[in-house]
Amino acid sequence: MPNLYSAWPPIRDEQETESSELQDETVQECLPFLERGLPSLACDMHIRFLHRCLGTLPAKFVAYDPARPWLIYWVLTALSVLGEDIEQYRQRVTQTLSAAQNAGGGFGGGHGQISHCAPSYAAVLSLAMVGGSESFELIDRKALWHWLGQVKQSDGGFRVCLDGEEDVRGAYCSMLDKRDSSHSLMASQNICHDTYEGGVSASPQTEAHGAYAFCALACLGILGPPHDIIPRYLDVPLLVSWLSARQHAPEGGFAGRTNKLVDGCYSFWVGGCWPLLEAAASKRQSEPETTTKTNMSLYSADGLRRYILACCQSEGGGLRDKPSKYPDAYHSCYVLAGLSSAQHYSWYEQGTELCSSHALTDAFRWTLCPRLAEVYSQTQPEISNAEGSVVPIHPIFVIPWAAVERTASWFENKGSF
């Protein structure tokens, strides 16, 4: 194991604060797990845990009632990354989400709840994953389009719901559902709230956060070619610097904000930023040479994969924030999505066409590199053998590539509403 992931940081601030004490406690918590060597990815245990999450839940989970579409999305995404067949849930998912869809457009967290961008995002992606005409037909696209027009603001941004807050989360969730190029320039300017640190915040004059950085980058990736639109609206070198500082050593995982602790969910929220930034920085229009693939990453994928395998796997199944935390569906989803992003390589290719009849096609112009896992297994056999192969996810839609292609093809053949 490299010394970087097995010893205390060589440079330490002598000024002790509550934050530094918590950081020291986290290193002490994680180091024993990292020093034991890498356990294998316990796919079978995680799959059993995730199936239980879609079963009958204890009474305390009543707090999840307004997040039903999210719970479905988290579990289906995690199961898909592990290679589990989720078509068995098609009927249940369709019935549950049918009750959450409102006649005025969009989905709420459950029956009788107002439409909101976040559960609408989760619902649409969940239906895309289970697939089938019944699931696709459930989405009232015309009503959804009109509702999104109501939450869209004159400055190009989106509120998360009627009379709700306007921030970059609403922009990403809405742009993914709406895929409407109108006011795209204004939307680009509105979502890019880069801070003095170099990160991206939810709205002006607020703190930079890794998840908001992903939302902004993905939203820009929907609006145009990443090598063109991202440098136009974000300071890429400064953002790379800020995101790089979010990866901790010796843990290897990511934190979401400055002076915060590593958390498994940022394996994707920060880890998922890198494919978009690599596309923005490289301006690559075709597949790179095989010999360069092992050294192209802007972050330590090895460190992240070590953290996921050693610290984020719960002994009883499921993925977690860190060893002292309990597993849940949310962390299982984004830890596994981060592992998938680290394991597979995607690049933007100008010539790839999937949905030529729509105004916004750039999100569909990404290509997956099928040979990267083979190259990596030769250079990092310890990690490669431990984690096996997980299913690749799309860098913008955050669902498996196969689901993106299947859904895009179905709606392309169906035509406009």
Side-chain angles (χ1 to χ4, degrees), residues 3 9 51 68 97 103 108 114 141 156 168 171 196 199 218 245 264 283 351 364 390 398 401:
N3 290 335
H51 281 306
R68 290 187 186 189
L97 295 179
I114 64 169
R141 292 189 293 157
V168 69
Y196 72 95
K283 300 183 181 180
F364 297 96
V390 295
V398 202
W401 279 78

Side-chain angles (χ1 to χ4, degrees), residues 86-98 127 130-131 134-135 138:
I86 60 171
E87 288 188 5
Q88 60 183 295
Y89 289 112
R90 179 181 295 162
Q91 184 176 6
R92 285 180 57 194
V93 168
T94 303
Q95 290 176 343
T96 299
L97 295 179
S98 175
L127 292 167
V130 294
E134 181 183 1
S135 299
L138 171 64

Side-chain angles (χ1 to χ4, degrees), residues 135-152:
S135 299
F136 296 147
E137 291 283 5
L138 171 64
I139 304 170
D140 187 340
R141 292 189 293 157
K142 187 174 183 179
L144 176 60
W145 190 85
H146 281 294
W147 176 76
L148 288 169
Q150 295 176 42
V151 297
K152 189 172 186 179

Side-chain angles (χ1 to χ4, degrees), residues 299 301 304-305 337-345 372 376:
Y299 72 107
L304 177 60
R305 293 157 89 155
L339 180 62
S340 176
S341 180
Q343 185 178 101
H344 299 280
Y345 179 70
L372 181 61
Y376 194 85

